[in-house]
Amino acid sequence: MTFVHLHNHTQYSMLDGAARLGPLFASAAEMGMPALAMTDHGNLHGAYDFWKAGRAAGVKPIIGIEAYVAPGSRHDRKPVLWANGGEDDVAGRGAYTHMTLLAESNEGLKNLFRLSSLSYAEGMYYKPRIDRELLAGYSAGLIGTTGCPSGEVQTWLRIGNYEAARQAASDYRDILGPANYFLELMDHGLSIERRVRDDLLRLAGELALPLVATNDSHFVRPEDAPAHDLLLCIGTQATIDQPGRFKFDGEGYWLRSPAEMRQLWAELPEACEATLSIAERCEVSFESSDLLPRFPVADGWTEESWLRTEVYRGLQRRYPRGIPSDRIERAEYELQVIVEMGFSSYFLVVADFIMWAKANGIRVGPGRGSAAGSLVSYALNITDLDPIQHDLMFERFLNPERVSMPDIDIDFDDRRRGEVIEYVARRWGSDHVAQIATFGYIKAKAAIKDSARALGFGYEVGDALTKAYPQPLMGKDAALECVTNPEHERYRDAKAFRQLLGTSDDYQRVYDAARGIEGLIRQPGVHAAGVIISAEPLIDHVPLWANKDGSVITQFDYPTCEALGLLKMDFLGLRNLTIIDDCLKEVKRNHGRDVDLLALPLGDRETYSLLARGETLGVFQLDSAPMRKLLQRMRPDQFSDIAAVLALYRPGPMGVKAHFAYADRKNGREPVEPIHPELSVALAPILDETYGVIVYQEQVTKAAQAVAGYSVGKADLLRKAMGKKKKEVLDAEFEPFSAGMRRNGYSEDAIRTLWDVLVPFADYAFNKAHASAYALISYWTAYLKAHYPAEYMAAVLTAEAGKSPDQDSTPAYLAECGRMGIEVRRPDVNVSGVDYTPVPGGILHGLGAIKGVGTAADVLVAERAVHGPYSSLPDLLGRLGRAANRRVVEALVGAGALDSLGSRAAMLRQYEATADTVSDLAKREAYGQLTLFGSGLSLIS
């Protein structure tokens, strides 16, 4: 006879559960279990992956949660002291008990989503908690149990209050229904389990409640116990040998076999049979829905007709002298693809928030990624690069032969990115918008360091092992395998690590422990840029959680959200847009002119002269020393050169010296040679722009069209297949490719030569649309540096202020100012602003850029703007109050910002003499005790 485990903690019970989904279901299938449940602590992060893995293994997945339940209202923010005191108070002195909930139906699954989401939004107090009221509102389709020994019923029983336990069980029976509430029995050899068992059986008789046997599973096999124990130490920051640390007492916390469970509960066979009947009742599915946001249109219009109208209005703005015929043709083609794919509303939604950002003075990037290849995006002001002028492919963005979600990523001024997200939430409803969860995995080096620390070894043990570990790190699951598996691709690189293991048993012990925890999830995080916008309330489709700052995040990661029909858009903050915006404001202030970046000619001689000299410190993407050397070698003199250098300055192309080939061929130092003599004519229109070097992904696609007769959609699919580097995939793709070339009269030598060139380049060739869009930002920043050097460098220096020392390039930029003949003057409390400011003859150092001043600079400048210059140090101290602490004053004095008020030594002596008075003033000010005339130090000038 079999058994179904209904209480299992996967690795999504982070730093507590150690059960990986693959091995978990493999073990269940091996033991003949028909179903398996997940009941992670307080969250549903892994629900979809669990469901998918179960179906793949042929084991029915049951979605559940071990919920945290508030003892009173979920809104209460205080712990509850359970009656009778004693040792059992420890369980109740917190603010929650446990309860197991399983989804019987899709309605129950949605109610689980709601309960989990609201537990974060409304019940967060140490843990995300529900209460009776919430459960009663969303109980349909759910099966519940009394849970583990930390459940409410068991807690009351443990402290001897049978009537309170009976009332709790009765309450939950009434909420869920008598057939849907079970008394959960566990046996891990613990006294607290045995102490309540008889009373649970008594409750079963008195309340006619069914029993169910479970096992509190936290890992898959008995041999996983040490890794799980280590994981608990990492989660509690304890060491294995630390007295009194948190650990699991008893035994059997793995996926016990059906025979073991049947034997364990031989006297109560009905408790085991209940697991099968519950499993038979539970049937849930995850279905993909069309959840793309719907754009509201006026009566008599459709999204498609509205989009077409907006596109042609945009084209008229872009081409005021008349829309060229090739643009009309391209627009019609793109509109057809967009409409057929069902993405009309998507484009309108994106255009809406981008236009709002621009209308509100928020600088938006000209494009990012493959979306820059779309003329519709250009017409709607989503991008600012004419794709036809720059020969960009729409199919790299949307392939008509493979329906997939569009992916438009947008760069914003990084100071104001949040405003755009707030607008989107207002526009479409806060319940329709959320950020996206990510998961932080324990990777190889972290696993080694964590294991060494938890095992009680000194820092030097983990440090020695991680320094010997081969670089770069590999994927999240099996990187450490490279050390011992000769078949692993990085086995040879791990020789030094293996030698180190042989020098000490301690090293081997740490390595063995690390392998047990590598790839487990450490904690959830928030996607740096991703935002979900849904047509329907998100809580109906995915569970949500709330960050400490109140922001709403999906509990699922992006691949899961996408699989369910939700669309992600990346709202990225780009520091260089901030630099551009600051620079243009100063140009307006100092020169009285507005610089329209979109109207700049792309052939400015001074800009290309700066680029050719490699004087690009501070220029977007062209800042590094090796890049500056490459620019000097290439000597760019047209816009396409900037796009090419961005695409070529990457490990793949640089590994085969493609960047040097482009530079040398451009300047006549190397001949331009065809890939194969038979291909010179066919590939010339594709490769002439890049001097015969394959630089862009789109060139791979066009080559397949030109020589093998592929359609544009199939050619892009070929490019993607080439990039996967899987032999079986490549072998399958080579057949139609070679057949197509043979039909066009090419020899086997030409076929193989081209294939051998295209395959590696398909992997590391760059997206031309992205390279061109980012090249436009590079050109803008180079133009501004060439024509408005003081304004531009002031903006660059401001952007560097506040960075950590290892990231701060301020010294390099100050040196660059010196090379350019721009004097950076020391700060002055009576002249300087918060930021670096261009002034006649140079740049004035910003007060906010002085290390140690921080936000006091804002106070200082604001006070000066209202009441005028500072006359003395006591005047400054009195007017700034608490903002003028010792650190701030010493930083201002050291930077020379107070030199206009006296000597630095005198300033420091004066500060010491007045510090106590100022400190007293600050305290009195905080308590509202200062009067207008009551201080010896003037608060106004």
Side-chain angles (χ1 to χ4, degrees), residues 2 23 117 227 288 298 342 579 601 661 698 709 718 798 865 921 939:
T2 190
S117 302
S288 179
I579 291 172
E698 289 88 337
L718 171 68
T798 294
L921 281 171
L939 297 181

Side-chain angles (χ1 to χ4, degrees), residues 91-381:
R93 198 170 286 130
Y96 54 87
T97 56
H98 293 198
M99 181 180 192
T100 308
L101 294 171
L102 306 172
E104 181 181 11
S105 62
N106 280 353
E107 181 184 16
L109 183 62
K110 288 194 172 186
N111 278 333
L112 271 189
F113 289 173
R114 294 184 179 98
L115 288 169
S116 181
S117 302
L118 293 170
S119 72
Y120 280 101
E122 299 177 0
M124 190 69 192
Y125 181 61
Y126 292 99
K127 301 289 184 180
R129 309 169 310 160
I130 64 172
D131 59 12
R132 284 169 167 75
E133 178 190 27
L134 208 56
L135 183 61
Y138 300 108
S139 62
L142 294 179
I143 294 171
T145 79
T146 52
C148 67
S150 293
E152 182 180 348
V153 171
Q154 291 92 320
T155 300
W156 285 121
L157 293 176
R158 288 205 320 272
I159 61 178
N161 194 333
Y162 180 82
E163 287 307 313
R166 189 179 192 279
Q167 184 61 55
S170 178
D171 291 346
Y172 291 124
R173 178 197 62 184
D174 293 344
I175 290 171
L176 292 164
N180 300 326
Y181 186 60
F182 291 73
L183 299 172
E184 188 170 348
L185 301 175
M186 288 184 175
D187 190 348
H188 300 89
L190 301 178
S191 62
I192 58 172
E193 294 169 333
R194 291 191 294 270
R195 281 161 51 192
V196 300
R197 187 173 303 160
D198 289 343
D199 283 335
L200 285 173
L201 297 177
R202 178 183 168 191
L203 285 174
E206 292 180 4
L207 298 177
L209 289 174
L211 303 170
V212 63
T214 69
N215 193 65
D216 194 4
S217 164
H218 282 71
F219 44 93
V220 180
R221 299 183 186 279
E223 55 266 32
D224 299 332
H228 176 257
D229 197 35
L230 188 75
L231 195 68
L232 296 180
C233 289
I234 293 169
T236 57
Q237 298 183 329
T239 60
I240 287 287
D241 298 325
Q242 182 175 321
R245 71 169 176 89
F246 173 69
K247 60 182 177 179
F248 280 22
D249 295 321
E251 60 180 6
Y253 295 98
W254 59 86
L255 201 70
R256 284 171 158 172
S257 70
E260 287 179 276
M261 294 304 297
R262 290 281 181 174
Q263 182 178 1
L264 193 63
W265 297 103
E267 296 180 1
L268 295 169
E270 68 273 21
C272 293
E273 289 300 322
T275 69
L276 299 175
S277 63
I278 289 174
E280 192 171 324
R281 290 170 58 184
C282 292
E283 196 73 53
V284 302
S285 62
F286 286 84
E287 299 173 356
S288 179
S289 306
D290 180 9
L291 296 173
L292 295 179
R294 303 264 75 90
F295 190 85
V297 297
D299 291 342
W301 292 76
T302 64
E303 293 168 344
E304 292 75 18
S305 63
W306 194 276
L307 175 64
R308 173 177 292 275
T309 299
E310 289 298 309
V311 166
Y312 274 93
R313 284 178 182 168
L315 290 174
Q316 288 169 355
R317 288 192 300 270
R318 294 293 193 184
Y319 308 103
R321 297 182 180 178
I323 307 171
S325 60
D326 59 344
R327 270 58 171 183
I328 293 175
E329 182 180 349
R330 173 73 165 261
E332 287 297 328
Y333 166 67
E334 290 191 17
L335 283 168
Q336 179 184 352
V337 172
I338 290 166
V339 169
E340 288 178 354
M341 287 186 167
F343 297 144
S344 298
S345 186
Y346 170 77
F347 279 83
L348 293 169
V349 169
V350 175
D352 175 80
F353 66 72
I354 287 180
M355 291 305 294
W356 178 88
K358 291 179 177 179
N360 284 273
I362 300 174
R363 192 157 296 277
V364 183
R368 182 188 179 100
S370 59
S374 166
L375 186 68
V376 165
S377 296
Y378 180 60
L380 293 173
N381 280 325

